[in-house]
Amino acid sequence: MSAPAVARALPQDRSRGRKLRRKWLLTVVGYVVALLFFFPILWMLMTAFKTEAAAFTLPPHFFFRPTLASFGEALSRGNYLHYAANSLASSLVSTALGVLLAVPAAYAMAFYPTRGTDGTLLWMISTKFIPAVGVLIPIFLIYKDLSLLDNIWGLILVYTAMNLPIMVWMIYSYFKEIPTEMHEAAQL
């Protein structure tokens, strides 16, 4: 290989080496940042499997004997299972109610649009821009008058109302992806 050819190859090798070092540096920085973000979650999981005394030791211990005693204590202290069942029931019922309301609305807007369909969809999605604090007092006053405070049905109603615009929007988008030929064939 001649001397000019070697001279031309050296800058490319240096450039390639710099790109490789930069790529490795960005990878290492990415892992460090990911570790910093993940560390609180890791710490929470580790603390869950420590005894109460071990959780508050100073300096903290990274290596310990895991135990499920804290979970047993949490389940026995209050009526945790009752509250978990309430949460599960309210979320399942509100999801089912939301789907029952959203599917016909989205179907009608997707396959039988009117002049107001786009405006209705825009209005529905714009309700998600309202801060929850902005509607908290009116909802509280209405629920107080209807005796829905401390009632699972009131919670189901709020969850359904909060999620219905997103449900309609997502199901509408799904229905719009269905080819019109397939819809016409299904009508036969």
Side-chain angles (χ1 to χ4, degrees):
M1 191 177 230
S2 66
V6 172
R8 279 195 304 261
L10 288 177
Q12 290 174 351
D13 289 341
R14 285 186 197 141
S15 174
R16 217 178 279 140
R18 274 185 273 187
K19 285 182 182 177
L20 188 61
R21 278 193 300 270
R22 186 169 187 248
K23 184 178 177 182
W24 275 101
L25 180 66
L26 286 175
T27 301
V28 169
V29 168
Y31 278 118
V32 168
V33 169
L35 183 65
L36 287 174
F37 279 106
F38 179 69
F39 184 75
I41 297 168
L42 176 67
W43 189 258
M44 181 179 63
L45 287 173
M46 287 173 48
T47 305
F49 291 101
K50 292 180 180 180
T51 62
E52 191 170 352
F56 291 107
T57 59
L58 287 176
H61 300 286
F62 285 98
F63 301 104
F64 57 92
R65 184 179 196 145
T67 179
L68 295 174
S70 297
F71 291 98
E73 184 68 29
L75 290 173
S76 67
R77 274 192 188 170
N79 203 356
Y80 175 78
L81 294 177
H82 171 72
Y83 299 128
N86 269 352
S87 295
L88 184 66
S90 63
S91 62
L92 290 176
V93 172
S94 68
T95 301
L97 183 61
V99 169
L100 283 173
L101 294 172
V103 168
Y107 183 86
M109 286 189 259
F111 294 115
Y112 305 105
T114 63
R115 283 183 306 179
T117 297
D118 290 338
T120 303
L121 284 169
L122 187 63
W123 171 76
M124 288 181 85
I125 203 70
S126 70
T127 61
K128 296 304 286 179
F129 300 143
I130 300 171
V133 175
V135 294
L136 187 67
I137 293 175
I139 288 174
F140 174 79
L141 294 175
I142 292 169
Y143 272 35
K144 187 173 151 191
D145 291 343
L146 297 176
S147 300
L148 288 174
L149 293 177
D150 291 332
N151 187 335
I152 194 168
W153 294 106
L155 192 60
I156 289 170
L157 189 62
V158 166
Y159 284 169
T160 303
M162 281 178 9
N163 294 324
L164 194 60
I166 294 292
M167 287 179 164
V168 170
W169 191 271
M170 290 175 64
I171 296 171
Y172 170 81
S173 298
Y174 171 76
F175 282 149
K176 289 303 277 186
E177 295 292 321
I178 297 174
T180 54
E181 297 83 17
M182 188 181 293
H183 182 253
E184 290 169 356
Q187 286 181 331
L188 295 176

